[in-house]
Amino acid sequence: MKLAQLELRRIHLELVTPFRTSFGEQTAREILLIGATTDDGIVGWGECVAMSEPLYSPEFVSGVETVISEFLTPRLTQHGEFSAADVAHILKPIKGHQMAKAALEMAALDAELRSQEINLHTRFGGSRASVPSGVSVGIFASIDALLTAVQGYVDDGYARIKLKVEPGWDIEPVRLVRDLIGPDMGLQVDANTAYTRQDIDHLRQLDEYDLLLIEQPLDTDDLLGHRDLAQAIETPVCLDESIESFTQAEDAIAIGAAEIINIKPGRVGGYLEAVRIHDLCAAHGIPVWCGGMLETGIGRAANCALAALDGFVLPGDISASRRFYSRDIVQNPIEVVGGEVAVPSAPGLGYDLDVDFLESITTSVHHLSL
Ligand code: SMG
Ligand code: MG
């Protein structure tokens, strides 16, 4: 494949309701999209999962735009022809910046698959036509507001609930949500690094509520802390922020710091690395599930294809488009039916852009020639 042009397009989408995590509250999502046009005029899109501020991880939208235009794109230009599977290798000399690299690879993958007229699900070889859908529920100002929101998601048919937690908002919300949803529905928590090694005894209280997992309780770089916690509590410890590559996944599994892994393609440098981590985890008997970064229909479509692989044994954060957005930038937004989301099957990543709406929420566009 030979790329002729890249387009860096920033969009602004309001959230239907504020989303609060242990690191802050979001009321809107600013997203960098990358359009890649081939020599033959075929266009593929990548969605960068970086947030506006470096609160979830070190990357952020403006930084991503800079690193793509100043450092990553010139490497692709120098290379000339390449396939999507070469992108990670070509960009490897640039350290870090996983989300920026992932977005470029994703755009190349979409363009390549569209030119071959095959879809991502087929390329990955997943056997499922639909995947179970989990919903991520933020921190609320009151327990009543939380329970009302959770009841709404139960009514929407979600297959499992994930509660965001932080010190002061953990045991009690979990107890009451467990009471509300009953013993059979999947329930898990995500702390986004809000606890320390001193909180092990506190977190052990969660064992009573039969959680599927506790996600990223400790600092991103605290693998030994996660290992100690995993040994001290019954609730399985799942890593999110800590895993940015295949090697880090290998290390975390080897020392017992990751009993489960949340795979986010953006966080690990791309969908192809995500598949490799899935294979690694399957070989070690480590369950995985697909994380979410409040993606639009572009990113969610690709996440469905990934989550259709056999090792994704837990429901992913692949909620319906309307959970975060009143209107999506695709014409076939993700919908939850009977707790499941259908894996798109159209060529490329499988979405169909809503060009008019996309234009209306665009805040800037920059073109780069290759
Ligand atoms: O995309 O449904 C979604 C959101 C899932 O909670 C979610 N993501 O740490 O797993 C996580 C968070 C990261 C984004 S929080 C602003
Ligand atoms: Mg998480």
Side-chain angles (χ1 to χ4, degrees):
M1 173 176 49
K2 180 104 180 55
L3 292 185
Q5 197 188 61
L6 285 180
E7 174 180 312
L8 304 185
R9 179 183 287 260
R10 278 208 217 187
I11 61 172
H12 176 97
L13 276 170
E14 294 293 324
L15 302 189
V16 291
T17 170
F19 185 51
R20 186 172 144 208
T21 66
S22 63
F23 59 79
E25 183 177 83
Q26 279 177 279
T27 55
R29 184 82 169 91
E30 185 191 17
I31 303 175
L32 179 70
L33 301 176
I34 302 177
T37 308
T38 67
D39 258 7
D40 307 330
I42 291 171
V43 183
W45 287 92
E47 174 173 347
C48 185
V49 301
M51 305 272 160
S52 304
E53 298 173 274
L55 297 173
Y56 165 83
S57 78
E59 292 184 86
F60 58 101
V61 177
S62 309
V64 165
E65 197 165 356
T66 300
V67 87
I68 288 177
S69 41
E70 289 188 23
F71 303 110
L72 302 180
T73 305
R75 298 233 162 215
L76 294 179
T77 307
Q78 273 165 25
H79 204 84
E81 266 190 51
F82 56 85
S83 74
D86 302 324
V87 172
H89 181 72
I90 298 168
L91 302 180
K92 195 163 192 295
I94 303 297
K95 304 290 190 279
H97 300 284
Q98 308 297 66
M99 293 175 178
K101 291 173 177 175
L104 272 175
E105 183 196 82
M106 187 179 180
L109 196 52
D110 190 26
E112 182 172 283
L113 290 166
R114 282 174 193 260
S115 61
Q116 297 166 346
E117 292 184 2
I118 60 170
N119 100 306
L120 187 61
H121 180 39
T122 309
R123 165 138 175 184
F124 284 166
S127 53
R128 294 175 220 151
S130 66
V131 295
S133 172
V135 63
S136 178
V137 184
I139 294 166
F140 282 81
S142 73
I143 293 279
D144 276 356
L146 169 72
L147 297 179
T148 303
V150 169
Q151 185 60 55
Y153 295 130
V154 170
D155 296 343
D156 288 341
Y158 282 103
R160 68 101 171 106
I161 302 284
K162 155 166 145 179
L163 298 184
K164 291 290 189 179
V165 292
E166 66 181 6
W169 183 268
D170 45 26
I171 315 300
E172 194 64 358
V174 166
R175 182 175 73 78
L176 292 166
V177 168
R178 178 50 90 198
D179 279 352
L180 178 74
I181 66 179
D184 298 332
M185 187 169 186
L187 178 63
Q188 62 193 56
V189 294
D190 185 3
N192 290 109
T193 76
Y195 296 91
T196 72
R197 294 181 186 188
Q198 277 67 56
D199 294 316
I200 291 181
D201 287 336
H202 176 73
L203 293 173
R204 192 182 292 108
Q205 298 176 75
L206 290 170
D207 285 349
E208 222 182 292
Y209 305 103
D210 194 23
L211 301 182
L212 290 167
L213 57 93
I214 177 168
E215 181 180 348
Q216 197 68 42
L218 312 181
D219 275 343
T220 302
D221 61 0
D222 194 2
L223 283 190
L224 294 183
H226 283 104
R227 177 204 59 189
D228 292 350
L229 179 66
Q231 286 171 359
I233 67 173
E234 277 167 30
T235 304
V237 171
C238 169
L239 295 183
D240 174 358
E241 283 91 328
S242 292
I243 306 298
E244 293 191 346
S245 67
F246 180 92
T247 307
Q248 288 177 353
E250 255 186 329
D251 290 356
I253 293 168
I255 67 164
E259 297 174 292
I260 297 176
I261 291 181
N262 164 342
I263 300 185
K264 286 181 183 163
R267 199 194 61 225
V268 301
Y271 281 87
L272 303 180
E273 182 85 347
V275 172
R276 292 179 65 223
I277 294 174
H278 157 273
D279 296 347
L280 169 80
C281 291
H284 285 83
I286 299 292
V288 302
W289 54 284
C290 182
M293 291 294 287
L294 297 90
E295 292 91 345
T296 68
I298 298 178
R300 289 289 214 232
N303 286 349
C304 286
L306 181 69
L309 292 171
D310 286 345
F312 284 83
V313 293
L314 291 165
D317 279 341
I318 308 182
S319 52
S321 175
R322 69 187 191 94
R323 189 264 172 258
F324 288 112
Y325 306 114
S326 58
R327 184 168 171 186
D328 206 318
I329 59 170
V330 299
Q331 295 182 40
N332 49 339
I334 296 293
E335 284 173 16
V336 174
V337 180
E340 302 251 328
V341 161
V343 181
S345 55
L349 308 183
Y351 63 84
D352 192 6
L353 274 190
D354 180 342
V355 178
D356 291 341
F357 183 59
L358 179 64
E359 285 297 341
S360 74
I361 56 159
T362 295
T363 53
S364 70
V365 181
H366 292 105
H367 289 108
L368 303 168
S369 298
L370 274 93

